[in-house]
Amino acid sequence: MANFGWSYPAGCRSTPYDEPAGPCDVCGQDVDSDACICPECPECGGCGDSRCYVPGKCGLVRSPEQLQARADAEAAWKAEADAERLAFELDPPETW
């Protein structure tokens, strides 16, 4: 087992910084796989930060491609949640 430092608990195999970033706040695409289509903010340098799109902040405006990508991502998330719910209903925890 690798030693990551004295302050990590026993059995810790990675740092908290190694966790996946998750979906983009704006377009909903995976940030780690370069699927995010959001531009870098000219003001703060962030990418995919929904705060940059708030009027009066950095001045970015969502593009039609970002809106469509977000809608597609939300539809996929809903379909995944529905499939999980259906699987749970067909095989409830009592029968596991």
Side-chain angles (χ1 to χ4, degrees), residues 1 5 9-10 12 25-26 38 45-49 51 55 69 77 79 81 84 88 95:
M1 179 168 77
C12 182
D25 287 345
V26 178
C38 297
C47 184
D49 188 354
R51 293 175 292 192
W77 296 334
E84 288 179 8
F88 183 78
T95 62

Side-chain angles (χ1 to χ4, degrees), residues 31-43:
V31 176
D32 290 336
S33 69
D34 295 330
C36 177
I37 59 173
C38 297
E40 184 176 319
C41 179
E43 293 292 321

Side-chain angles (χ1 to χ4, degrees), residues 2-91:
N3 187 4
F4 284 105
W6 63 269
S7 63
Y8 291 119
C12 182
R13 297 186 181 268
S14 66
T15 66
Y17 310 107
D18 293 340
E19 296 175 6
C24 172
D25 287 345
V26 178
C27 69
Q29 304 302 309
D30 187 25
V31 176
D32 290 336
S33 69
D34 295 330
C36 177
I37 59 173
C38 297
E40 184 176 319
C41 179
E43 293 292 321
C44 68
C47 184
D49 188 354
S50 59
R51 293 175 292 192
C52 296
Y53 294 84
V54 174
K57 292 278 185 175
C58 297
L60 290 178
V61 178
R62 288 178 170 85
S63 69
E65 292 83 10
Q66 287 172 312
L67 295 172
Q68 184 61 48
R70 181 65 185 206
D72 293 344
E74 287 179 356
W77 296 334
K78 183 181 181 325
E80 182 180 352
D82 289 345
E84 288 179 8
R85 181 186 47 76
L86 180 62
F88 183 78
E89 289 173 356
L90 294 176
D91 186 20

